[in-house]
Amino acid sequence: GGSDKYSIQGTVKNHSSKSIVLETLGLQQVTAVDSATIDDKGFFKMSGVSESGFYRLKLDAQTFFLFMLEPAQYKVEIDPKAEEAFKATGPKSNDEFQAAFKQLGSVQRDLQSMNMAYQMYAQQGVGQDTMMYLQQQMQAVGMKFESMIRDSSATAKSPLVAMFYVTNGPIDKFPKENLAVITRMEKEMPTSSYTKDFRGIYTKYEEQMKQQASAQQKVADVGVGAMAP
């Protein structure tokens, strides 16, 4: 039946490309899976079978749009000059992903602009009060970012959206959250390449932690003897 296929119909405005590529974004690499010609009216369509996950529609090296693909129908409008350059109607999982993408993006931009402001003010040698205030602001946004990752990775309806949240933070800051999402993925999508890759990344992290702990233990053992007169 056609139910295991994705189908994408869309329009492209204000861009010179005559073709559009569908790429899958794995945790380790990006792979092209499909492409379509854009006709004179700016219309394109593609359909096929591919694993549910994160994908992007790419017009050129600088112009691409992320979305969540599963076996479903998508209608897409692309216009790089519009306020919202990419509009996609499809399954609820993609709506949830788009909201997550915007939410994380806006907090990350806030953090970046504060970092830049902090460096700029530091170079100008402004007063200690201003620097302290900026530090507090940065800490507040940083904490907001961390709690967003913690909360949203636990409450996301889609396990892939949960993974998207948690992989936007460093693994050593969110080990519990990473493991919780991996465990959920192994239950809900055991055959997915994302589940296998994510488990592999986590296992590597655990091994590194064990090596560090045993190295520190060796140092501690040596240290005790060194204290003797």
Side-chain angles (χ1 to χ4, degrees), residues 95-115:
D95 298 342
E96 190 186 24
F97 170 64
Q98 295 299 336
F101 187 63
K102 281 181 188 149
Q103 192 188 23
L104 270 172
S106 85
V107 178
Q108 282 167 332
R109 279 192 298 278
D110 285 354
L111 275 172
Q112 268 173 341
S113 58
M114 278 180 178
N115 270 318

Side-chain angles (χ1 to χ4, degrees), residues 62-206:
Q62 278 78 43
T63 319
F64 48 81
F65 306 96
L66 266 68
F67 70 111
M68 173 95 81
L69 183 80
E70 36 183 64
Q73 291 187 333
Y74 293 78
K75 277 208 163 47
V76 172
E77 289 172 43
I78 295 172
D79 182 353
K81 292 213 166 90
E83 197 178 329
E84 202 175 349
F86 179 69
K87 287 183 192 161
T89 56
K92 285 199 166 58
S93 60
N94 182 52
D95 298 342
E96 190 186 24
F97 170 64
Q98 295 299 336
F101 187 63
K102 281 181 188 149
Q103 192 188 23
L104 270 172
S106 85
V107 178
Q108 282 167 332
R109 279 192 298 278
D110 285 354
L111 275 172
Q112 268 173 341
S113 58
M114 278 180 178
N115 270 318
M116 281 166 68
Y118 187 81
Q119 282 159 9
M120 194 178 74
Y121 283 128
Q123 281 164 0
Q124 289 171 3
V126 301
Q128 206 57 40
D129 291 355
T130 308
M131 297 309 282
M132 287 281 289
Y133 173 73
L134 270 173
Q135 266 179 331
Q136 285 167 354
Q137 294 294 94
M138 279 161 70
Q139 275 176 341
V141 176
M143 282 166 76
K144 181 182 166 185
F145 182 63
E146 284 179 29
S147 65
M148 183 193 295
I149 288 175
R150 285 203 171 89
D151 300 345
S152 302
S153 66
T155 57
K157 287 189 172 67
S158 158
L160 283 167
V161 172
M163 186 193 87
F164 174 72
Y165 274 113
V166 85
T167 52
N168 263 279
I171 194 165
D172 54 356
K173 209 166 207 174
F174 305 98
K176 282 208 312 274
E177 290 77 9
N178 273 275
L179 188 57
V181 173
I182 292 163
T183 309
R184 179 184 173 189
M185 288 170 76
E186 285 175 340
K187 271 191 199 128
E188 293 180 35
M189 40 194 308
T191 59
S192 168
S193 70
Y194 289 96
T195 307
K196 293 190 184 104
D197 288 349
F198 198 8
R199 172 56 82 179
I201 290 165
Y202 189 80
T203 303
K204 215 181 252 170
Y205 160 74
E206 273 188 322

